[in-house]
Amino acid sequence: MNQVPIPAAEAINKLVQELNKLPGIGPKSAQRLTYYLLRAPEEQTRLLAEAILSVKQKIILCSACFNVTDSDLCLICRSDNRDSSTICVVEQPQDILALEHTGVYKGLYHVLHGAISPTEGIGTNDVKIKELTDRLQDGSITEVILATNPNLEGEQTAMYLNHLISPKGIRVTRLARGLPFGTELEYADDTTLTRAIEGRQEF
Ligand SMILES: [Zn+2]
């Protein structure tokens, strides 16, 4: 009697486990994806595996704004069509995507890679705040828009940054209150986000 080879089953379980670790993928979805990939052409699965490895191997952080990029400076920092007197401060690189999608903001960005959260032990040195203040030294920046998330950590971070930046004589603004409290920027719709940028207020 032929038994189902156990190594294959282990391989399946392993993929289910790994997919299950991804955000928004529960055990059921992980199983569905695994069996889909099992049936998919080998070429497709190879491209997927290569694409996953490639983002880890090729993507670095922009040396100016800390956006994700495959060259020293990201596309936004390298562009001649951006207003280089304004910096919009966001928590994560994907927040830039959300704001760029609205098409209304033409300045530069700065990615903090997190927000201050004393309860989670994330202090001012754990996010890219020093790197932000370094960028404000030469006097070319006239406005800093604080676009941290409209939740507790985001508000705390915005307040801290305002204390740090306002004394330098730089205009500090915060996205308008249209964004529902407790949400994250990347999930806001274009209309809400556009209104939030255009209606930004002095901190
Ligand atoms: Zn950049």
Side-chain angles (χ1 to χ4, degrees):
M1 278 208 340
N2 282 338
Q3 283 203 324
V4 178
I6 287 168
E10 267 179 20
I12 289 173
N13 283 339
K14 184 140 181 52
L15 184 54
V16 172
Q17 268 173 25
E18 291 308 314
L19 289 170
N20 193 198
K21 291 176 187 169
L22 301 174
I25 309 282
K28 276 271 162 60
S29 301
Q31 253 170 36
R32 196 160 54 235
L33 287 169
T34 299
Y35 281 90
Y36 167 81
L37 290 168
L38 215 49
R39 287 193 309 269
E42 188 163 343
E43 172 71 358
Q44 188 185 345
T45 55
R46 192 177 55 79
L47 289 174
L48 175 65
E50 281 175 7
I52 292 171
L53 282 176
S54 170
V55 290
K56 292 306 288 180
Q57 287 162 355
K58 293 186 185 150
I59 299 301
I60 53 170
L61 298 182
C62 172
S63 62
C65 75
F66 300 93
N67 186 13
V68 285
T69 173
D70 55 6
S71 56
D72 179 47
L73 284 177
C74 73
L75 283 170
I76 295 171
C77 286
R78 261 187 292 157
S79 169
D80 294 330
N81 303 318
R82 309 293 302 204
D83 167 12
S84 57
S85 69
T86 308
I87 289 180
C88 179
V89 180
V90 295
E91 291 182 24
Q92 302 295 347
Q94 58 266 40
D95 298 334
I96 294 183
L97 286 186
L99 289 162
E100 284 299 290
H101 203 253
T102 67
V104 291
Y105 179 67
K106 296 293 176 206
L108 303 176
Y109 290 95
H110 187 87
V111 187
L112 294 173
H113 289 273
I116 302 168
S117 173
T119 52
E120 287 175 47
I122 302 170
T124 54
N125 292 326
D126 300 316
V127 293
K128 307 231 176 268
I129 289 177
K130 164 83 168 61
E131 291 82 351
L132 172 63
T133 51
D134 284 349
R135 291 178 75 186
L136 306 176
Q137 292 306 332
D138 70 0
S140 62
I141 304 297
T142 54
E143 181 182 356
V144 173
I145 304 168
L146 301 175
T148 48
N149 286 328
N151 54 30
L152 188 64
E153 292 79 19
E155 291 295 339
Q156 281 173 344
T157 308
M159 267 196 284
Y160 178 77
L161 290 175
N162 181 46
H163 281 298
L164 219 56
I165 300 167
S166 291
K168 298 179 191 290
I170 296 169
R171 183 183 180 211
V172 180
T173 55
R174 179 85 172 110
L175 290 188
R177 304 281 161 189
L179 297 164
F181 190 82
T183 54
E184 291 180 17
L185 219 64
E186 64 172 308
Y187 302 117
D189 64 89
D190 280 1
T191 315
T192 310
L193 216 44
T194 299
R195 257 191 252 127
I197 304 167
E198 289 179 339
R200 64 184 186 269
Q201 294 143 353
E202 305 301 319
F203 201 92

